[in-house]
Amino acid sequence: MSTPLKILVPVKRVIDYAIKPRVNSARTAVETANVKHSMNPFDELSIEAAVRLREASDPTSKRKSPTPTPTVSDILALSAGPAKCVDVLRTAMAMGADHAIHVDVGGEKGGGEGGAEGEQGELEPLGVAKLLKKVVEAEDRNFVILGKQSIDDDSNQTGQMLAGLLGWSQATQASEIEFEQKGEGWMCKVTKEVDGGVETVKAPLPMVVTTDLRLNEPRYASLPNIMKAKKKKLEKKTLGDYGLDGSRRLRVVKVEEPPPRKGGGKVEDVDGMISKLKELGAI
């Protein structure tokens, strides 16, 4: 009998995608005080993907897959950051996660992708990957789905680093996730968009998959599910509980907004355009 999936989905609290970020007065980071935050959009895709995998194996679900699909026994959401990260974990549970872990690292400034933020000791992508490795081992996970990047630091590193630390298979930027039975186990088939086409990779479990925007359309958390999420288990942990200290290897020297774009100019004819290009040193 094949082993059911025990899924870990890291989620991160970030400045809402509809808000234009502003650099703080010290020019050391983006201003986060009194700014609307929400779940990282790529992490919403990951939660939705995990829930749909469970529905695909549920005979009572409208999304039941016509082909064999592994059973999902548990979906765990995790976020590392200040106390307000609990909000995105509640949203994840309202969308379908069974329970959640909040690793409190303090602070309000943005930090590493993959479900982590903090202040001067904020977690970098490698720090997040090390934390996720500890959680995978402690919670006996065999499948990790996370956003390919967070929209604040855009590092696109955590998933790859986690797979390397665990020694697991990995597939990045998934636009489609499928499973094929192989003997007593499962092969995960992931399709992703590449320049000029699509690429499909297959690998056995356990596996790390990062999600891209075309994977699915996340569901809205309904009011009844939001109320149910308040009763689901949410554990509070610290980095020390996992034997980590969150020390940083990088230091932000300066953060600046891009210079304002200059207005364009008009030329009368082709000769005028060539003269202008020469004047600008373009040709």
Side-chain angles (χ1 to χ4, degrees), residues 87-103:
D87 296 339
V88 297
L89 288 172
R90 292 293 183 195
T91 299
M93 290 190 286
M95 291 175 68
D98 298 304
H99 56 121
I101 295 176
H102 172 221
V103 181

Side-chain angles (χ1 to χ4, degrees), residues 153-215:
D153 62 11
D154 287 321
S155 293
N156 194 355
Q157 297 175 343
T158 301
Q160 295 89 322
M161 289 177 171
L162 175 61
L165 291 172
L166 289 168
W168 286 9
S169 308
Q170 66 170 301
T172 59
Q173 299 168 229
S175 59
E176 187 175 1
I177 302 173
E178 300 173 296
F179 283 88
E180 296 177 358
Q181 197 155 17
K182 184 179 181 182
E184 292 296 316
W186 294 91
M187 294 286 289
C188 181
K189 184 170 76 171
V190 174
T191 302
K192 68 175 181 179
E193 296 181 354
V194 295
D195 291 342
V198 296
E199 176 182 287
T200 302
V201 297
K202 287 183 183 179
L205 298 177
M207 191 173 184
V208 176
V209 175
T210 69
T211 58
D212 207 349
L213 290 175
R214 296 189 189 275
L215 178 60

Side-chain angles (χ1 to χ4, degrees), residues 14-53:
V14 298
I15 294 176
D16 191 85
Y17 71 92
I19 303 296
K20 181 181 178 181
R22 294 180 293 107
V23 177
N24 63 16
S25 57
R27 295 189 177 183
T28 57
V30 172
E31 184 62 64
T32 58
N34 301 316
V35 176
K36 181 183 178 183
H37 286 67
S38 59
M39 188 188 300
N40 180 45
F42 291 102
D43 298 336
E44 290 182 341
L45 300 170
S46 302
I47 287 288
E48 179 66 23
V51 175
R52 290 193 186 190
L53 283 175

Side-chain angles (χ1 to χ4, degrees), residues 224-241:
N225 286 336
I226 291 173
M227 300 305 293
K228 290 177 184 177
K230 294 181 179 180
K231 298 180 180 180
K232 291 184 178 180
K233 184 178 179 181
L234 195 158
E235 295 182 71
K236 292 187 179 293
K237 300 277 189 178
T238 65
L239 291 176
D241 293 331

